[in-house]
Amino acid sequence: MTGYPCHAPEYASANPKLPIAMTNRTFTLPDTLYDYLCSISLHEPDLLRRLREETARDSMANMQISPEQGQFMSLLVRLMGARRSLEIGVYTGYSALSVAMALPNDGNLIACDISKDWTGTAMRYWREAGVEDKIDLRLGPALDTLDHLLEEGREGTFDFAFIDADKVNYWFCFNKVIKLLRSGGLIAVDNTLWGGNVINPNDESEETQAIRSFNRKLHNDERVNISLVPIGDGLTLALKRSE
Ligand code: SAH
Ligand code: CA
């Protein structure tokens, strides 16, 4: 079996059920059951596996979504028949590649990041997968790129968006992305369980507070129907209602 990430996250001593940091695997299952889930459901293409293995050598590899989450997102994209998609936070390109491979030939993904270095790796794999023409990488602060898209008249034109960049900007980012989405479009927001730290009373870091506040605001947001799916590090799905 190809190496899916069956390593266990570190567990906080106070609560043995909570990993202490962001996790890149579904942590709400016992390890053995997680291994079973992966072994019986993953169809990770070879290229994605190679990208994951290369990324695993990077010290920030935990930021990458897990293969079961990549497969879930690609299923959502297929289910919706999404053509126009948006990604905020590319890193080495695993989530973007999962989505791009699920888009139809005339589909397109606008991918936003600030790192030339990490997205350089991403582009190598997108090229090898033959999806580089589908992906439009925009380097620069995501909030600026989203403003440019709004200025370009792209309001209401996107089917699917994945938000996974800096957590302190989640709410600002979400508010721009929702304008860019059509009614019935879907926004997936990553890391909303934040390795369990959303309920860790000792964690008052800026990022953790931003995620807690994002989750609370979204819960009261009448523009969307939501579901917080406990896959990976928590993936909140928000479907834009018609106005
Ligand atoms: N979705 C990726 C992981 C993203 S990690 C995957 O599954 O592999 C978060 C990324 O957000 C990093 O690559 C970082 O460079 C980027 N980022 C951080 N702040 C940003 C900002 N203000 N605008 C755009 N990208 C940002
Ligand atoms: Ca993430």
Side-chain angles (χ1 to χ4, degrees):
M1 185 56 214
T2 51
Y4 49 83
C6 56
H7 55 274
E10 305 276 339
Y11 284 97
S13 51
N15 184 340
K17 291 219 165 102
L18 297 180
I20 50 176
M22 181 198 336
T23 166
N24 77 334
R25 52 149 283 189
T26 301
F27 67 95
T28 47
L29 294 172
D31 293 346
T32 46
L33 193 53
Y34 175 68
D35 289 351
Y36 174 77
L37 177 153
C38 290
S39 71
I40 210 66
S41 68
L42 282 185
H43 289 296
E44 188 182 36
D46 188 54
L47 204 58
L48 278 171
R49 181 183 54 77
R50 280 200 279 123
L51 170 54
R52 186 163 52 75
E53 286 170 358
E54 178 172 341
T55 303
R57 295 197 286 274
D58 184 70
S59 62
M60 302 297 279
N62 258 4
M63 297 200 304
Q64 181 178 69
I65 60 164
S66 62
E68 72 276 15
Q69 182 175 334
Q71 190 167 311
F72 178 62
M73 285 170 45
S74 76
L75 186 137
L76 291 176
V77 166
R78 287 178 204 276
L79 181 68
M80 297 178 72
R83 284 173 61 242
R84 302 280 166 251
S85 61
L86 194 53
E87 175 168 287
I88 320 296
V90 174
Y91 185 40
T92 58
Y94 189 97
S95 49
L97 185 53
S98 302
V99 166
M101 284 165 58
L103 291 171
N105 287 338
D106 65 347
N108 174 267
L109 170 70
I110 294 182
C112 310
D113 207 285
I114 44 174
S115 168
K116 211 171 177 173
D117 190 23
W118 284 332
T119 57
T121 303
M123 284 197 292
R124 258 197 290 125
Y125 282 88
W126 298 343
R127 208 171 299 129
E128 203 181 331
V131 297
E132 83 267 42
D133 292 341
K134 285 188 198 172
I135 305 180
D136 175 4
L137 176 66
R138 309 248 178 134
L139 284 179
L143 293 175
D144 292 350
T145 304
L146 295 171
D147 281 337
H148 292 149
L149 289 169
L150 288 165
E151 283 158 22
E152 287 166 23
R154 299 294 309 272
E155 196 161 328
T157 62
F158 288 86
D159 305 303
F160 177 81
F162 180 48
I163 299 181
D164 190 20
D166 49 332
K167 311 310 169 198
V168 291
N169 278 323
Y170 260 24
W171 183 247
F172 306 106
C173 194
F174 183 85
N175 280 294
K176 292 184 195 297
V177 169
I178 198 166
K179 287 190 190 142
L180 290 163
L181 228 66
R182 65 165 167 91
S183 296
L186 187 74
I187 309 179
V189 186
D190 203 30
N191 303 103
T192 49
L193 292 178
W194 204 227
N197 281 307
V198 280
I199 57 160
N200 178 354
N202 300 320
D203 188 344
E204 289 298 334
S205 70
E206 211 185 343
E207 286 185 314
T208 303
Q209 296 197 54
I211 290 182
R212 283 186 196 126
S213 136
F214 174 82
N215 287 341
R216 268 195 309 269
K217 285 178 186 144
L218 199 62
H219 193 201
N220 294 317
D221 194 330
E222 294 189 345
R223 296 171 296 179
V224 286
N225 293 108
I226 62 167
S227 176
L228 200 174
V229 184
I231 191 170
D233 197 26
L235 181 70
T236 298
L237 303 181
L239 185 82
K240 183 174 174 179
R241 291 177 173 164
S242 44
E243 327 236 333

